[in-house]
Amino acid sequence: MSIEFANESGVEVPAELIIEAARFAIVAMDVNPAALLSVLCVDEDTMADMHVQWMDLPGPTDVMSFPMDELVPGGRPDAADLGPAILGDIVLCPEFAAQQAKTAKRSFDHELSMLTIHGVLHLLGFDHADPDEEREMFGLQNEILDAFYAERHRLAQQQRQSDRDARLLSNIGFTGDPGATDVPPEEK
């Protein structure tokens, strides 16, 4: 899977977190692992222009999605593998997202993760134009977001344990070198 990221917003954003959230959502939705995705962060003026041009709505918004190859989650098991496809583009507006996060009493990082997952779902054909669609899309978005955080938490715990193990082993003189005796110097 290839995810291109560009930040033209003038706002510092956690690029790796955004990419990680996008990758997690794509995998969770069983999209072809060779799919291509582009994520672009823009300023409010650029987002407002895009919002008018593509949605005929005034002012900036938090996220817009532009699907390319109209992929769907999973696909049919008997369908031929279409190979790599362009999932599409997600455009985020960090300034707008920061204001939205503050109003909702959420962190900026959380807001960007949520909006990225939201954007991926739009690329896969999900929408929230009517109450049933909204319930389905936001329910799925929250499931993926919860699983994303659970996986990040698990990996962080695993890293902390690995770091503790490495410190413990270095404190007792274990080098991991098969040719070394791994006996502490005071015992030699």
Side-chain angles (χ1 to χ4, degrees):
M1 162 183 341
S2 175
I3 300 175
E4 293 181 13
F5 178 84
N7 183 6
E8 299 174 2
S9 70
V11 174
E12 190 172 327
V13 297
E16 289 303 315
L17 178 69
I18 292 169
I19 292 167
E20 191 179 330
R23 180 171 280 117
F24 189 90
I26 290 167
V27 169
M29 294 304 296
D30 195 25
V31 174
N32 185 319
L36 307 173
L37 171 67
S38 170
V39 180
L40 174 64
C41 293
V42 298
D43 61 37
E44 284 187 324
D45 291 338
T46 303
M47 183 60 99
D49 290 344
M50 294 175 80
H51 204 207
V52 168
Q53 179 181 1
W54 296 103
M55 302 294 292
D56 202 23
L57 295 170
T61 189
D62 50 9
V63 60
M64 291 184 71
S65 297
F66 300 93
M68 296 294 186
D69 287 340
E70 297 185 16
L71 299 177
V72 293
R76 292 181 28 192
D78 61 341
D81 183 10
L82 301 176
I86 300 173
L87 187 55
D89 302 320
I90 296 173
V91 181
L92 299 167
C93 184
E95 290 171 90
F96 194 93
Q99 295 165 10
Q100 199 166 260
K102 186 176 180 181
T103 301
K105 295 183 170 70
R106 296 188 286 246
S107 75
F108 181 57
D109 286 5
H110 174 81
E111 195 74 17
L112 289 173
S113 296
M114 181 180 65
L115 293 173
T116 300
I117 291 168
H118 187 88
V120 168
L121 291 175
H122 272 308
L123 292 176
L124 294 171
F126 290 89
D127 205 351
H128 43 86
D130 68 49
D132 288 339
E133 287 179 340
E134 182 176 357
R135 206 171 9 267
E136 178 185 15
M137 182 175 181
F138 282 91
L140 186 54
Q141 172 187 299
N142 291 336
E143 284 177 30
I144 294 170
L145 191 60
D146 288 348
F148 173 63
Y149 285 134
E151 179 66 7
R152 286 176 55 85
H153 179 72
R154 186 189 68 74
L155 291 173
Q157 281 183 313
Q158 190 177 36
Q159 185 60 52
R160 284 191 298 275
Q161 183 63 50
S162 179
D163 292 346
R164 280 193 296 267
D165 292 350
R167 279 193 306 276
L168 176 63
L169 291 173
S170 71
N171 286 341
I172 63 170
F174 182 78
T175 64
D177 179 357
T181 60
D182 290 326
V183 176
E186 62 275 1
E187 294 181 22
K188 287 185 179 178

